[in-house]
Amino acid sequence: YMNQPEAHAIRVRQCQVHDDLLKMQPTPTFQTSWPVVSEEYFEYADVLDAVSDFAAEHNRKRKFVFVELGAGYGHWTFTAHRALMQKVPLASYQYLMVDVVSELRPLISKLAALNGVNATA
């Protein structure tokens, strides 16, 4: 990990390790224990706690609302959405994703569709 030329989130590094292992013959087994404690551990905990708290007090009068500033590709929004759909499949929701890179909008729309999020501009 110390030899990588740039700093990346642990999930990116795990994908790189996986790709490198697939190139080896025979393909070795790669196993890790979950959750991986990394720089994102507390962010995952916060997102999943928000969904759990909503599910515990869920009533049909209130939407689950999630705001992601500096959204990039919307990783945390889509993580929250998938968790919400597991806990309260019929919940209404509203997401606000903000980023300065407007060129990401088409890709975010595609990711929203892939994750089952009803998106508006």
Side-chain angles (χ1 to χ4, degrees):
Y1 194 67
M2 297 301 291
N3 294 329
Q4 72 183 54
E6 308 176 31
H8 292 291
I10 192 71
R11 66 179 180 271
V12 173
R13 182 64 182 142
Q14 287 175 319
C15 290
Q16 291 170 341
V17 168
H18 180 262
D19 289 345
D20 290 344
L21 290 173
L22 288 178
K23 294 174 188 172
M24 300 173 134
Q25 293 300 323
T27 304
T29 301
F30 178 69
Q31 184 173 354
T32 185
S33 59
W34 296 99
V36 174
V37 178
S38 69
E39 63 275 8
E40 295 180 334
Y41 182 84
F42 294 104
E43 290 160 301
Y44 276 111
D46 288 340
V47 168
L48 299 176
D49 277 349
V51 171
S52 289
D53 289 349
F54 177 82
E57 64 183 45
H58 177 64
N59 63 52
R60 298 202 183 273
K61 296 178 183 176
R62 186 168 81 88
K63 290 181 180 181
F64 176 77
V65 177
F66 190 86
V67 177
E68 185 174 6
L69 302 177
Y73 298 101
H75 176 77
W76 300 113
T77 300
F78 298 131
T79 298
H81 179 73
R82 298 308 302 169
L84 179 65
M85 292 299 100
Q86 287 181 9
K87 298 288 264 178
V88 190
L90 299 176
S92 60
Y93 55 85
Q94 184 173 1
Y95 305 133
L96 174 63
M97 296 169 34
V98 179
D99 202 285
V100 297
V101 183
S102 61
E103 292 82 9
L104 292 174
R105 183 176 291 216
L107 183 56
I108 290 171
S109 294
K110 183 177 180 179
L111 291 170
L114 288 170
N115 282 282
V117 175
N118 297 325
T120 59

